[in-house]
Amino acid sequence: MTASDRIPEAPEGPAVGKRGRGRPRRRTEAEVLDAAAAVLAESGAAAVSIRKVADRLGTAPMTIYTSFPGRDALVDALATHLMSRHDTAPDAALPLDERVRDWMARYRDALVTTRLHELLAAGASVAPLLDVAARWTAQLATLGLSPADAAATTRQLVWAVHGFCAAEAGNLAAQTGRTADALLRVPEEHRAAAAAYLADLRAAPDFAAEFARTADAHARAIAAFAARHRIGG
């Protein structure tokens, strides 16, 4: 066969069945929020960023910006997403004291297991919290409390749970050594007292039992307050 008889080679081009690099696949909001929740659970609120979430998904940050224009929008949506995973509505079928105990336990579980309390403390939208607060305020009003008393009682309940979650987080920090240099920042005249406080934190109290006692105290106090302050009561 002569050179002129040979079949000419096909020109080079893209391989059959292979995609060019092109644009990264656009991620759904659900995928982005699930990835953000994983970052929060593993590394805390400060670590939640567009870039960290993109890294977790193995994609470029630009694919996240198509759904969320910035970190604030992402964090706000994440707070709502996390709260939606849990039933945090007070159970109106229960007597008031039992309702308080039951709700405080479920709300604490929602905040701690998702680390949502850290996200809210870091500046996330309080919209999910307002929904919970509105349900409590409405239920207390149906029991005969004035709007002001119902709102104030709700605030006390919400603050009690969030404050306890913050105490748990502080205890964890003490146990994991993240307060190693904290004493150096305390004025010298208060350092011994601060050391005693840290030692008590490191004793690892039973937070479940402590919280149960706290919830019981609030349940009894709120039931008694409601009985005294019902409109027309």
Side-chain angles (χ1 to χ4, degrees), residues 96-182:
L96 183 56
D97 56 344
E98 293 181 29
R99 193 183 318 178
V100 170
R101 294 186 191 93
D102 171 73
W103 175 82
M104 288 183 71
R106 287 187 289 109
Y107 190 51
R108 169 183 172 256
D109 180 66
L111 295 179
V112 171
T113 58
T114 62
R115 300 182 72 166
L116 178 56
H117 65 292
E118 297 179 32
L119 204 62
L120 293 170
S125 169
V126 297
L129 174 59
L130 288 178
D131 181 61
V132 174
R135 291 169 184 260
W136 255 123
T137 302
Q139 287 191 20
L140 290 168
T142 65
L143 295 176
L145 270 68
S146 69
D149 283 341
T153 302
T154 296
R155 170 175 49 78
Q156 291 168 10
L157 278 171
V158 172
W159 282 8
V161 180
H162 280 264
F164 202 93
C165 289
E168 284 190 83
N171 177 262
L172 178 62
Q175 291 183 38
T176 56
R178 284 156 54 192
T179 56
D181 64 341

Side-chain angles (χ1 to χ4, degrees), residues 36-49 71 115 118-119 122 178:
V39 172
L40 173 65
E42 293 175 3
S43 306
V48 179
S49 67
R71 182 180 184 275
R115 300 182 72 166
E118 297 179 32
L119 204 62
R178 284 156 54 192

Side-chain angles (χ1 to χ4, degrees), residues 1-9:
M1 181 183 292
T2 65
S4 60
D5 295 324
R6 292 175 185 158
I7 300 173
E9 295 180 1

